[in-house]
Amino acid sequence: LSSRKSLISQSTADSVRVYDLDLVRDLVGKVDLGDMAFLELVGRLPTPEQSVMTNAVLVTLVEHGLTPSVLAARLTYFGSPETLQGALASGLLGLGSVFVGSMEGAAKLVQEGLASQDPEFPRRTAERHFQESKRIPGLGHSLHRQEDPRTERLFALATETRIAGPGVALMLEIAGCAQEVFNRRLPINATGAIGAVATDLGIPWQLCRGLGVVARSVGLLGHIREEMDRPLAPEIVRWAEDG
Amino acid sequence: LSSRKSLISQSTADSVRVYDLDLVRDLVGKVDLGDMAFLELVGRLPTPEQSVMTNAVLVTLVEHGLTPSVLAARLTYFGSPETLQGALASGLLGLGSVFVGSMEGAAKLVQEGLASQDPEFPRRTAERHFQESKRIPGLGHSLHRQEDPRTERLFALATETRIAGPGVALMLEIAGCAQEVFNRRLPINATGAIGAVATDLGIPWQLCRGLGVVARSVGLLGHIREEMDRPLAPEIVRWAEDG
Amino acid sequence: LSSRKSLISQSTADSVRVYDLDLVRDLVGKVDLGDMAFLELVGRLPTPEQSVMTNAVLVTLVEHGLTPSVLAARLTYFGSPETLQGALASGLLGLGSVFVGSMEGAAKLVQEGLASQDPEFPRRTAERHFQESKRIPGLGHSLHRQEDPRTERLFALATETRIAGPGVALMLEIAGCAQEVFNRRLPINATGAIGAVATDLGIPWQLCRGLGVVARSVGLLGHIREEMDRPLAPEIVRWAEDG
Amino acid sequence: LSSRKSLISQSTADSVRVYDLDLVRDLVGKVDLGDMAFLELVGRLPTPEQSVMTNAVLVTLVEHGLTPSVLAARLTYFGSPETLQGALASGLLGLGSVFVGSMEGAAKLVQEGLASQDPEFPRRTAERHFQESKRIPGLGHSLHRQEDPRTERLFALATETRIAGPGVALMLEIAGCAQEVFNRRLPINATGAIGAVATDLGIPWQLCRGLGVVARSVGLLGHIREEMDRPLAPEIVRWAEDG
């Protein structure tokens, strides 16, 4: 056996292998970065429809304005401009339970619901969260109260590419029940849509947060670029010190 | 003015804007993740040829086997499996001067050479490094001694897409002079090829390391996925303790 | 009001303030680093006994051999020797639920037990964990099966300094019940002892993990020092690649 | 040989060893956290005077108000309150060339000066920096323009404890020459004082940044504690979004 220690990748004098593909011969110039993410997460290359959808999910997650994550990266760059990787890492560390990590919760809910094969799962989920005064992962957004524009686009694309399957269907059912039980508008937010779509793409919920981490690392690059020319971090510090 | 604080991105109740584009309307479902990286770094969407080339560069950087970065991420996941972002960040922090960061040096050399408009730049660069017993950024590789398979592919693609321009030309000249001056085979390695191609894509050398950080974050996802099912970290610890 | 934005610390042209103390006048040369940790966590300087105990807890946590955290820091240093802070941060990121973070669980258990004022708390805790086949935080250790040498020393010191109070007493009761219910030797491990002592020092459980992070950052310094002279990281990589 | 892989620390069923000391028997309850830092960096326990001085240096570095590092840690905590280690790591990543890392430069200058055995080193250093329009590491401070209060205290303590030696003397000479050559007041700032004192404590310049990282990790604990009760991060985000 050529590699006991990793089945994913091996580097030799002649080649770099990723799963059963040769990096140079099979991948470079033939697939895009979103396809590589699919390959890493699922273990094989995506179909053209899965490629479109995976990239759509990732592109959706690249930017969301001046988030805490972006501000942390810019502040770290201010102190250590010689280490781009440190600034990016600093920004990624805030992608926890409150923001991007929430898509993990939505994907988990959907994947557990599908595994349960319980037709009452959506209603019982809504009722349980209502009784415990808890938010349902993937529903509601402080900014996009009526409709999250990202959700509409992702679901339209999931229909168009025929990726939409049991995951998207279950998420819609949960949202329907939630609206009845909570008796108010609870739109599916971007992380809810992504949790549902990721399920239909075959991505385990434990790895969904990784989609956000990868995508945001792309977005952070742009903010570091701007920080180089038009620093915001010193202004933040000035505002903070100016008690 | 709608946003004093960042010209790149702004998030409102109705939309997320990236430069002058609307995330949902202009980007999701229309561009891939590599295109987004180009957009963040250069400020506008790539042409189809630039898209192919940017994705090729990024795909090249996704995997290189069980690198120190991959091992650090796997070890961090072992101690903190509940925080995927921490494991990824831990792995990215090692992308410094020794490995992926070296492409920054290659890009800097090429961009300074072009800026100098000095026809003697390649020869003088080779001679200066030889006299100071220094490696020229982007040349030579401990593993791929004769030819780095990634370089050949990237340069072929750069020619095919007509992205290859003054950056690639200068890198080839530097390599030619280096071989004469050092009197031994010094193939352009992947970071050298990427430094040259990134120059012809219009990416400033200060941000080139970011291409590697973004790409490797994709590769780390796969290694975390494998670590979940087939843990390597405990074996590393056992090997280390077994003094 | 001099500072709206932080009550902890403020820096002006003449002084740096920490809570109501002046850094230079009241702290430098008068207190040690462990006292500063107590001050930051509790809001006032420790008594001499609290100082001894806080330092003892921190010193206990500095080293535990070639842990995953140490190995991650050394691997990151290998790739990025120019950024000591990145190597340390990389190592600290693995201090999650599996290793150092476990003291958070022990402290939480003890602090919830004390808050409950329920005399049956120890027995009920042991039974609940037994029924759910769960480990009780702070009990048992894969390496130190009979007795964790660190626990004995910390508890002796807590008695000597008269810091030992309701926290230590409750942890001992929980361990006693656990041994009966699980019907096997379950020694209080170092994180259990620290969770109990930290409770008696007045440190909220939510911050206990921080003691470990601070202490391990000291230990990582020594490992980076050794890595400079006697690199282990390249050997790890060689072992890993040698599939 | 009991441990091939690390000479610093080894953990067995009965004990944890640090260099040639037993953690439980020789260190816990006997030394403070600053002593442990000295031990890790220098390889043996400090004398009482070295202990006072090492702790003084570390205490000096714990806090400096609402620094970029503190703000990054607070923003990361906002997004990921479940991972204290991630928030601390995020804050530490900004301790690069601009802030805390600058003490590395001061220590390097002093240690190179001593190694050179050149009596003209101070004057030549001042002149070279003046000609190249560069700041001399360890001199001048944007906030403390006349005198850095931390320097005065550290140097007084270094004299009192008789730690002050060739390192402090050389730094004072460099400052004297700098004032003449630059023809303006250039007080030795805290990082300059620390670079000089660390030299006299026997700490290699390559590790001096580590003193700052360890000390700031203690300070960050207090800021996370405050962030829990009195969040500043959401206000920063609101200020930033409010373009």
Side-chain angles (χ1 to χ4, degrees), chain A residues 10-228:
Chain A
Q10 192 184 16
S11 173
T12 67
D14 299 320
S15 71
V16 178
R17 187 180 52 71
V18 188
Y19 292 100
D20 55 345
L21 300 166
D22 182 83
L23 182 69
V24 167
R25 195 191 55 213
D26 301 325
L27 299 169
V28 173
K30 297 186 177 164
V31 306
D32 62 47
L33 188 61
D35 298 337
M36 283 301 286
F38 188 94
L39 172 62
E40 294 280 347
L41 288 168
V42 178
R44 53 172 178 71
L45 283 174
T47 65
E49 292 76 21
Q50 287 170 329
S51 169
V52 168
M53 202 67 230
T54 304
N55 276 293
V57 163
L58 288 165
V59 166
T60 301
L61 290 163
V62 166
E63 280 279 5
H64 205 249
L66 289 172
T67 58
S69 165
V70 160
L71 298 175
R74 283 173 172 251
L75 286 155
T76 299
Y77 180 80
F78 182 27
S80 192
E82 67 280 10
T83 57
L84 192 53
Q85 76 273 26
L88 295 187
S90 175
L92 299 178
L93 287 170
L95 303 178
S97 61
V98 179
F99 298 106
V100 170
S102 55
M103 87 185 70
E104 186 177 297
K108 188 182 181 203
L109 183 70
V110 171
Q111 292 177 23
E112 287 178 350
L114 293 177
S116 76
Q117 300 187 299
D118 171 6
E120 291 305 306
F121 182 86
R123 177 155 310 276
R124 293 208 281 125
T125 297
E127 283 166 356
R128 181 166 50 83
H129 283 80
F130 183 74
Q131 280 151 21
E132 298 174 4
S133 301
K134 279 189 183 161
R135 287 185 51 179
I136 300 176
L139 299 186
H141 196 282
S142 58
L143 192 62
H144 312 294
R145 280 176 205 279
Q146 282 308 307
E147 205 66 72
D148 189 319
R150 299 169 295 179
T151 299
E152 204 177 354
R153 179 80 180 111
L154 286 170
F155 278 2
L157 209 58
T159 305
E160 214 175 284
T161 55
R162 299 174 188 242
I163 297 296
V168 169
L170 183 57
M171 194 75 217
L172 288 166
E173 278 187 76
I174 293 170
C177 291
Q179 185 151 343
E180 281 177 43
V181 171
F182 283 74
N183 196 27
R184 60 187 170 91
R185 183 89 192 98
L186 281 172
I188 300 175
N189 60 37
T191 62
I194 289 169
V197 169
T199 299
D200 289 334
L201 284 167
I203 299 171
W205 65 263
Q206 293 91 337
L207 288 162
C208 280
R209 186 184 302 204
L211 295 170
V213 176
V214 163
R216 283 289 159 96
S217 74
V218 173
L220 291 175
L221 274 187
H223 285 274
I224 298 300
R225 176 182 180 257
E226 187 176 64
E227 192 68 21
M228 285 176 178

Side-chain angles (χ1 to χ4, degrees), chain B residues 1-6 10-11 80 82-83 85 93 238-243, chain D residues 1-6 10-11 80 82-83 85 93 238-243:
Chain B
L1 196 56
S2 61
S3 168
R4 276 190 293 117
K5 291 184 183 138
S6 171
Q10 192 184 18
S11 173
S80 192
E82 67 279 11
T83 56
Q85 77 273 25
L93 288 171
R238 219 171 297 129
W239 172 86
E241 279 177 346
D242 185 26
Chain D
L1 194 56
S2 62
S3 169
R4 276 189 293 119
K5 292 184 182 138
S6 172
Q10 191 183 18
S11 172
S80 192
E82 68 280 10
T83 56
Q85 76 273 25
L93 288 170
R238 219 170 296 128
W239 172 85
E241 279 177 346
D242 185 27

Side-chain angles (χ1 to χ4, degrees), chain B residues 59-72:
Chain B
V59 166
T60 301
L61 290 164
V62 165
E63 280 279 5
H64 205 251
L66 290 172
T67 57
S69 165
V70 160
L71 298 175

Side-chain angles (χ1 to χ4, degrees), chain B residues 110-153:
Chain B
V110 171
Q111 292 177 24
E112 288 178 350
L114 293 177
S116 76
Q117 299 187 300
D118 172 5
E120 292 304 306
F121 183 86
R123 176 155 311 273
R124 293 208 280 127
T125 297
E127 284 166 356
R128 181 166 48 83
H129 283 79
F130 182 73
Q131 280 151 21
E132 298 174 4
S133 301
K134 280 189 183 161
R135 287 186 52 181
I136 300 176
L139 298 188
H141 196 282
S142 58
L143 192 61
H144 311 295
R145 280 176 205 277
Q146 283 307 307
E147 206 66 71
D148 190 318
R150 300 169 294 180
T151 299
E152 204 178 355
R153 179 80 180 111

Side-chain angles (χ1 to χ4, degrees), chain A residues 89 92 209-210 213-214, chain B residues 69 73 76 83-93 216-217 220-221 224:
Chain A
L92 299 178
R209 186 184 302 204
V213 176
V214 163
Chain B
S69 165
T76 299
T83 56
L84 192 54
Q85 77 273 25
L88 295 187
S90 176
L92 299 179
L93 288 171
R216 284 288 160 96
S217 75
L220 291 174
L221 274 185
I224 298 299

